[in-house]
């Protein structure tokens, strides 16, 4: 084991822009003319403007809303920022509104390629979205994290948990949305420091709905948010034994946990760190309903089968049978392809637990070290990280004395069960398992058989030498983050800034290098910000093989640092922090060739005593010495040529597979384009036909709108009564008038004819008759005039009625 001291910190970086300057700069990035004022129907996308992430207006608004805020470094530890790689969004907790800012981020090629580091710029969209939970969050927030598909955010405090559904928006007001939020495990976490405290809460990497919760009562709970928010799906009561450092079982308590990697049983393993620095393993643990590739499950299954066939000891066969039984019951579909997603055969984990066996808390893991004082751990463990690099599982433990203990698993992980006690099962109405609870006790070290506990290889101890920090506060701010691109690199965030640690030796990968001659890890300060700590820290990967670091200081100033892909860390060149607040670092671009090949053949060390010059090559001793050195030369160069040949073959095969895959994609795209081109004409014809039909329908609709019936209204009650009277008048009185007029006309004709033909001999009589006849005639004329006027009036009324009825019938 090698003990390292962190190199001296680089000179202080230029100060970040003041809040006033940043505000003026950020407001200029969003001119008022670009904001929607009058035309509300325009698309929201047309108003989005991309600006450098470090100068986003949200950071200026945070500084303005918290001018005198004293940030507590122990409250966040750099975990109040979360990165969602699925939709490229950055989430930032805002304590003033008790909500979260959601920033859409993109990685854009720089337009100016004059400098070697101007390759990729991190930009964010303006305006950004602000998510306010529907349930008010009153507790102090220590961490926010997003699940694997970016649909939920977990907000964790010291004694409270809340989950926010990102896509379940109850209301929207401009750029502020109200998202559905629900508290979790309120029956376990009572709050207000009344009972159980939250030690760590993390989403499970193999499920979108499961997260693990480690609490101060030494219980690890696995919740399924898709089924129950109050009761955990699985509970594991951790009961360990003291590790022999003079600590009692009461003083020992779990501190943190980390999920395993992707190699064999590491997929189903969970590592636990206790306060004395001891590490334990719980295997196998799988969320019910989670998906795993069929290839990985078959690989684990075949590995257990091969060991069972080779084992001759009964004690070694029993754990293998338990492991096989667990795999067959948990993944019954592993031998059949029933679920295919994007060309991958997946297996869904079923709810299963052995009725007569509980998991064993494997550990504490013993250590293999060349340093006799390696077991003398000083301080209290505060943070833990498990990362994978090739076939190696690297375990990093941080202590409150600013020490980092870097270890690696020396062997594979295997599941272990204790058959003396079974679990407690919870069944549903169909008698299927819906919950499991078990007591997991630690057992003595088992070094034989498939259930053996793997030892640890001590790689290095790194002393960060953090100055002038209180140990209690210092322990709270030490946080570990993996690098998304380089597996050998991780970051340590503390109250003074952040450091990058790169491992230069891996036990399983560098098999030709002895442990005693390994090169120590490289430690480089990334940035130094004083002693206030970081508010948020996130690492993101781009499509160019590089990674970026996003840091938010206690003054809500954003720093963006670009980290190139390299395995062996070089000296970081600090750039200036300009208006964008970003720090650029340069390094040589990795060629991808192994450093052993680049170094060339191993040098041959000659004898420096000078006896070779005086030695006769014809002598027996000279010939033997010459033969010896020729053999050494041949072995070294033949070995080097063999390595080169293997490297070239592997790279050729890899490049060939990549080219074939790219050709397949190109051919598929070409076929799609041809299909689109053939269908384009028909689609155009259908569009024209649809347009003409639309025009015809529009014309017909306009004609129909001009018809009288369109404006027809129903008759009122008075109009209906008047119409009934008119009907009676037409049917009765009008016929009587017509008959009276006809009778009078006939009588008039008869009277005129009789008056013209009659002659009276006596004048007096004639005068009297004539006088009487004239009176009658005048009376008849007046009656006839009245009847004529009545007739004309009735005729006019009849015409009006006929017109009215004709209009109603139309």
């Amino acid at each position: 084991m090698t003990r390292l001291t962190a190199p001296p910190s680089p000179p202080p970086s230029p100060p970040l822009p003041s809040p006033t300057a940043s505000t003026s700069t950020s407001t200029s990035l969003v001119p008022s003319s670009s904001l929607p004022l009058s035309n509300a129907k325009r698309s929201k996308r047309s108003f989005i403007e991309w600006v450098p992430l470090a100068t986003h207006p949200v950071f200026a608004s945070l500084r303005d809303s918290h001018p005198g805020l004293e940030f507590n470094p122990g409250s966040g530890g750099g975990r109040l920022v979360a990165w969602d790689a699925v939709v490229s969004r950055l989430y930032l907790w805002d304590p003033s509104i008790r909500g979260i800012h959601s920033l859409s981020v993109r990685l854009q090629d720089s337009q100016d390629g004059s400098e070697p580091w101007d390759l990729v710029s991190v930009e964010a969209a303006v305006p950004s979205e602000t998510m306010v939970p529907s349930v008010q969050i009153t507790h102090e927030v220590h961490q926010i994290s997003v699940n694997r598909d970016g649909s939920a955010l977990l907000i964790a405090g010291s004694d409270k948990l809340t989950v926010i559904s990102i896509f379940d928006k109850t209301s929207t007001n401009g750029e502020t949305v109200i998202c559905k939020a629900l508290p979790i495990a309120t029956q376990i976490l009572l709050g207000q420091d009344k009972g159980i405290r939250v030690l760590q809460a993390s989403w499970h990497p193999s499920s979108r709905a499961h997260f693990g919760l480690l609490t101060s009562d030494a219980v690890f709970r696995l919740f399924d948010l898709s089924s129950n928010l109050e009761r955990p799906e699985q509970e594991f009561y951790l009961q360990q034994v003291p590790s022999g450092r003079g600590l009692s079982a009461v003083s020992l308590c779990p501190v943190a946990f980390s999920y395993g990697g992707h190699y064999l049983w590491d997929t189903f393993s969970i590592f636990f760190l206790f306060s004395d620095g001891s590490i334990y393993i719980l295997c196998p643990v799988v969320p019910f309903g989670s998906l795993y590739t069929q290839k990985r499950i078959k690989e684990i299954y075949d590995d257990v089968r091969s060991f069972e066939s080779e084992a001759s000891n009964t004690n070694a066969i029993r754990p293998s049978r338990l492991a096989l039984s667990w795999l067959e019951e948990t993944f019954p579909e592993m031998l059949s392809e029933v679920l295919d997603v994007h060309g991958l055969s997946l297996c869904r984990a079923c709810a299963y637990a052995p009725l007569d066996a509980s998991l064993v808390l494997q550990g504490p893991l013993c250590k293999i070290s060349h340093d006799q004082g390696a077991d003398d751990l000083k301080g209290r463990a505060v943070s833990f990280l498990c990362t994978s690099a090739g076939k190696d599982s690297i375990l990093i433990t941080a202590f409150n004395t600013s020490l980092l203990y870097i270890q690696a698993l020396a062997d594979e992980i295997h599941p272990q069960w204790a058959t003396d006690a079974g679990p407690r099962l919870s069944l549903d109405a169909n008698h299927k398992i819906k919950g499991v609870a078990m007591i997991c006790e630690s057992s003595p070290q088992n070094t034989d058989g498939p259930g053996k506990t793997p030892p640890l290889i001590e790689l290095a101890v790194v002393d960060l030498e953090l100055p002038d920090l209180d140990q209690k506060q210092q322990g709270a701010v030490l946080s570990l983050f993996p690098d998304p691109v380089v597996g050998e690199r991780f970051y340590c965030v503390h109250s003074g800034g952040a450091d990058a640690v790169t491992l230069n030796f891996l036990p399983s990968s560098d098999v030709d290098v002895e442990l005693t001659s390994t090169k120590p890890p490289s430690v480089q300060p990334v940035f130094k910000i004083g002693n206030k700590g970081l508010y948020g820290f996130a690492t993101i990967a781009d499509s160019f093989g590089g990674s970026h670091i996003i840091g938010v200081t206690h003054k809500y100033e954003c720093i963006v640092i670009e980290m190139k892909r390299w395995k062996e860390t070089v000296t970081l060149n600090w750039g200036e922090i300009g208006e964008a607040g970003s720090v650029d670092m340069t390094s040589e671009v990795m060629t991808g060739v192994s450093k052993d090949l680049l170094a060339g053949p191993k040098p041959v060390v000659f004898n420096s005593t000078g006896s070779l010059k005086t030695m006769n090559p014809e002598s027996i001793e000279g010939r033997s010495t010459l033969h010896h050195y020729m053999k050494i030369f041949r072995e070294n160069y033949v070995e080097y040529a063999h390595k080169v040949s293997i490297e070239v073959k592997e790279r050729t095969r890899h490049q060939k597979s990549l080219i074939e895959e790219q050709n397949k994609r190109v051919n598929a795209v070409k076929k799609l384009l041809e299909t689109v081109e053939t269908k384009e004409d028909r689609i155009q014809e259908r569009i024209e036909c649809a347009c003409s039909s639309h025009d015809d329908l529009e014309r017909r609709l306009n004609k129909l709108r001009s018809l009288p019936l369109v404006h027809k209204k129903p008759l009122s009650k008075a109009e209906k009564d008047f119409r009934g009277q008119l009907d009676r008048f037409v049917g009765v009185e009008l016929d009587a008038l017509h008959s009276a007029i006809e009778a009078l006309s006939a009588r008039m004709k008869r009277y005129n004819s009789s008056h013209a033909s009659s002659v009276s001999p006596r004048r007096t009589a004639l005068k009297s008759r004539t006088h009487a006849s004239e009176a009658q005639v005048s009376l008849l004329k007046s009656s006839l005039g009245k009847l004529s006027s009545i007739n004309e009036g009735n005729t006019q009324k009849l015409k009006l009625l006929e017109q009215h009825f004709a209009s109603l019938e139309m």
Side-chain angles (χ1 to χ4, degrees):
M1 181 184 65
T2 307
R3 185 181 183 89
L4 293 179
T5 301
S9 301
S13 58
L16 293 172
S18 62
T20 306
S22 298
T23 304
S24 61
T25 303
S26 61
T27 53
S28 64
L29 296 175
V30 188
S32 59
S33 60
S34 66
L35 296 177
L37 296 177
S38 59
N39 192 356
K41 295 183 179 181
R42 292 183 62 184
S43 176
K44 203 162 112 179
R45 185 181 299 273
S46 61
F47 304 108
I48 291 180
E49 183 174 355
W50 294 93
V51 300
L53 175 62
T55 58
H56 198 278
V58 71
F59 299 107
S61 64
L62 284 171
R63 289 192 293 269
D64 294 339
S65 60
H66 307 82
L69 180 65
E70 289 294 334
F71 172 67
N72 180 16
S75 63
R79 299 189 181 274
L80 296 180
V81 168
W83 169 251
D84 182 10
V86 178
V87 295
S88 296
R89 279 193 172 270
L90 185 71
Y91 299 98
L92 174 66
W93 170 255
D94 188 349
S96 63
I97 63 174
R98 312 301 293 176
I100 295 174
H101 296 283
S102 176
L103 280 69
S104 180
V105 179
R106 71 176 183 181
L107 301 175
Q108 186 73 6
D109 289 338
S110 179
Q111 300 297 330
D112 184 9
S114 58
E115 299 294 340
W117 55 83
D118 289 339
L119 295 178
V120 180
S121 60
V122 182
E123 298 177 347
V126 177
S128 61
E129 189 178 67
T130 302
M131 298 188 302
V132 178
S134 59
V135 178
Q136 186 177 5
I137 299 176
T138 58
H139 60 83
E140 185 179 8
V141 177
H142 291 176
Q143 176 189 359
I144 64 172
S145 58
V146 63
N147 63 345
R148 60 178 297 178
D149 65 348
S151 62
L153 267 171
L154 182 65
I155 301 178
S158 60
D159 51 10
K160 286 289 184 180
L161 291 175
T162 307
V163 64
I164 296 179
S165 179
I166 297 176
F167 303 117
D168 193 356
K169 302 176 182 179
T170 58
S171 63
T172 303
N173 183 13
E175 302 300 332
T176 301
V177 296
I178 307 298
C179 295
K180 184 179 180 181
L182 295 171
I184 305 174
T186 56
Q187 300 177 1
I188 301 173
L189 305 173
L190 302 179
Q192 300 179 357
D193 297 331
K194 292 183 179 179
I196 300 175
R197 294 180 296 105
V198 176
L199 299 179
Q200 183 180 344
S202 299
W203 293 99
H204 199 282
S206 300
S207 174
R208 59 180 296 270
H210 288 78
F211 78 94
L213 174 63
L214 181 63
T215 52
S216 57
D217 57 348
V219 179
F220 176 75
R221 297 175 174 89
L222 198 61
F223 284 84
D224 182 9
L225 300 184
S226 63
S227 60
N228 199 324
L229 299 177
E230 293 295 333
R231 299 188 61 182
E233 180 186 86
Q234 302 177 50
E235 289 183 288
F236 303 94
Y237 294 82
L238 311 178
Q239 296 186 1
Q240 81 291 354
V241 296
S243 58
R245 295 179 55 198
L247 299 176
S248 62
V250 178
S251 61
L252 289 177
C253 60
V255 174
F257 71 92
S258 182
Y259 300 106
H262 305 286
Y263 181 69
L264 295 179
W265 286 100
D266 292 19
T267 309
F268 310 124
S269 300
I270 301 178
F271 297 85
F272 294 93
L273 174 69
F274 282 77
S275 57
D276 64 338
S278 57
I279 300 175
Y280 293 80
I281 302 176
L282 204 60
C283 178
V285 177
V286 59
F288 298 159
S290 56
L291 296 176
Y292 296 88
T293 59
Q294 187 184 46
K295 180 180 179 181
R296 183 179 301 175
I297 303 301
K298 282 185 177 181
E299 184 180 3
I300 300 173
Y301 187 80
D302 295 340
D303 182 73
V304 179
R305 287 288 300 270
S306 62
F307 184 87
E308 183 187 20
S309 61
E310 295 174 0
S312 58
N313 189 2
T314 307
N315 295 330
I317 294 177
R318 180 171 176 78
S320 300
R321 292 180 177 177
L322 285 174
L324 291 175
S325 176
W326 184 87
L327 288 172
E328 292 170 354
E329 295 294 336
T330 306
F331 302 100
E333 305 167 349
M334 65 178 174
L335 300 179
S336 61
E337 300 181 5
V338 295
L339 184 59
D340 186 83
V341 179
H342 301 296
L344 295 176
S345 299
L346 302 179
C347 298
R348 187 179 299 276
C350 300
Y352 172 74
L355 299 178
D356 57 348
S358 299
L359 292 180
V360 173
L361 186 62
Q362 305 180 36
L365 303 184
C366 61
K367 302 171 184 178
I368 302 174
S369 177
H370 296 274
D371 190 355
Q372 295 180 356
D375 292 333
D376 187 15
L377 303 179
K378 297 180 181 180
R380 176 184 174 85
V382 294
S383 186
F384 183 57
L385 175 65
C386 175
T387 181
S388 297
K391 293 184 179 180
D392 291 278
S393 295
I394 310 299
L395 307 178
I396 304 103
T397 306
F399 286 79
N400 62 349
T401 54
S402 72
L403 295 178
L404 299 179
Y405 284 80
I406 305 175
Q407 306 164 96
L409 290 178
D411 204 346
E412 299 176 3
I413 300 176
H414 294 275
Q416 291 187 21
W417 284 273
T419 57
D420 54 349
R424 182 178 180 180
L425 305 179
S426 175
L427 306 179
D428 57 8
N430 298 325
H431 302 286
K432 294 183 179 180
I433 298 176
K434 67 176 183 179
V436 177
M438 61 181 67
I439 299 175
C440 303
E441 298 180 346
S442 60
S443 63
Q445 293 291 330
N446 179 17
T447 57
D448 298 325
K452 62 181 179 180
T453 303
L456 295 175
I457 300 177
E458 288 281 357
L459 299 181
V461 177
V462 178
D463 189 357
L464 299 177
E465 292 186 347
L466 303 179
D468 301 327
L469 290 176
D470 180 71
Q471 283 193 0
K472 294 182 180 180
Q473 188 187 57
Q474 175 183 344
V477 298
L478 279 175
S479 301
L480 301 173
F481 296 86
D483 188 276
V485 177
V486 182
E488 298 89 342
R489 184 169 59 199
F490 65 92
Y491 303 96
C492 179
V493 177
H494 47 78
S495 58
D499 296 330
V501 182
T502 305
L503 303 179
N504 297 316
F505 167 74
L506 297 175
S508 300
S509 301
D510 303 330
V511 293
D512 55 343
V513 180
E514 295 183 1
L515 185 62
T516 55
S517 61
T518 58
K519 186 177 180 180
S522 302
V523 183
Q524 296 291 339
V526 179
F527 48 80
K528 187 176 181 180
I529 57 174
N531 58 356
K532 292 294 185 179
L534 279 175
Y535 184 80
F537 184 89
T539 57
I540 63 177
D542 56 36
S543 58
F544 304 98
S547 60
H548 297 260
I549 297 175
I550 300 175
V552 181
T553 67
H554 64 285
K555 295 182 179 179
Y556 299 103
E557 295 168 316
C558 181
I559 304 174
V560 181
I561 300 177
E562 182 178 2
M563 305 286 289
K564 297 303 173 66
R565 181 181 179 184
W566 67 81
K567 182 178 180 180
E568 186 174 357
T569 306
V570 298
T571 303
L572 307 182
N573 296 326
W574 284 63
E576 294 185 356
I577 304 179
E579 293 183 355
S582 61
V583 180
D584 298 314
M585 299 183 302
T586 60
S587 67
E588 297 180 1
V589 180
M590 181 182 176
T591 60
V593 183
S594 174
K595 61 180 182 180
D596 297 333
L597 297 181
L598 294 177
K602 296 180 180 179
V604 178
V605 180
F606 293 94
N607 191 357
S608 60
T609 58
S611 59
L612 292 178
K613 296 181 180 180
T614 59
M615 186 178 297
N616 187 5
E618 299 297 333
S619 62
I620 297 176
E621 185 179 1
R623 291 181 179 179
S624 177
T625 303
L626 184 61
H627 178 72
H628 171 69
Y629 282 109
M630 289 178 63
K631 182 179 179 182
I632 293 176
F633 274 107
R634 188 184 304 110
E635 289 178 354
N636 289 344
Y637 282 97
V638 168
E639 180 182 0
Y640 178 75
H642 181 65
K643 289 183 178 180
V644 171
S645 176
I646 294 176
E647 182 79 12
V648 170
K649 289 181 180 179
E650 290 295 330
R651 287 184 174 276
T652 303
R653 189 180 302 109
H654 179 65
Q655 293 296 332
K656 184 178 179 182
S657 62
L658 290 178
I659 293 173
E660 292 177 352
E661 182 67 23
Q662 295 295 332
N663 289 333
K664 290 180 181 178
R665 294 183 179 181
V666 170
N667 294 332
V669 172
K670 287 182 178 179
K671 291 181 180 179
L672 290 175
L673 290 176
E674 292 175 356
T675 305
V676 171
E677 290 176 355
T678 54
K679 293 181 179 180
E680 184 179 4
D681 297 335
R682 289 182 292 174
I683 293 175
Q684 191 67 28
E685 292 178 357
R686 294 178 64 182
I687 292 174
E688 292 177 356
C689 181
C691 291
S692 61
S693 301
H694 178 268
D695 296 337
D696 294 339
L697 293 175
E698 191 72 24
R699 287 192 296 269
R700 292 181 62 187
L701 183 60
N702 293 331
K703 290 181 180 180
L704 292 174
R705 285 174 180 173
S706 62
L707 295 177
L709 289 178
V710 178
H711 307 288
K712 179 182 177 181
K713 295 181 180 180
L715 297 177
S716 63
K717 183 177 180 181
E719 291 174 345
K720 290 180 180 179
D721 296 339
F722 179 69
R723 182 177 178 180
Q725 294 177 4
L726 292 177
D727 292 339
R728 289 193 300 272
F729 178 76
V730 171
V732 179
E733 297 180 1
L734 191 62
D735 294 337
L737 288 175
H738 280 294
S739 60
I741 291 171
E742 292 176 357
L744 291 174
S745 299
R747 290 176 64 183
M748 187 66 184
K749 290 179 180 180
R750 287 196 303 270
Y751 175 78
N752 290 332
S753 61
S754 64
H755 178 70
S757 59
S758 64
V759 178
S760 178
R762 290 183 295 179
R763 193 173 183 88
T764 55
L766 182 60
K767 291 182 178 179
S768 60
R769 291 177 186 172
T770 305
H771 179 74
S773 300
E774 291 177 357
Q776 293 178 358
V777 169
S778 61
L779 178 62
L780 288 174
K781 287 183 178 180
S782 63
S783 299
L784 184 62
K786 291 180 181 179
L787 288 175
S788 299
S789 61
I790 292 172
N791 188 16
E792 291 176 357
N794 291 334
T795 304
Q796 292 178 358
K797 291 181 180 180
L798 183 60
K799 291 180 179 180
L800 290 175
L801 289 175
E802 289 178 354
Q803 292 177 359
H804 179 69
F805 290 151
S807 63
L808 291 177
E809 289 176 359
M810 291 179 64

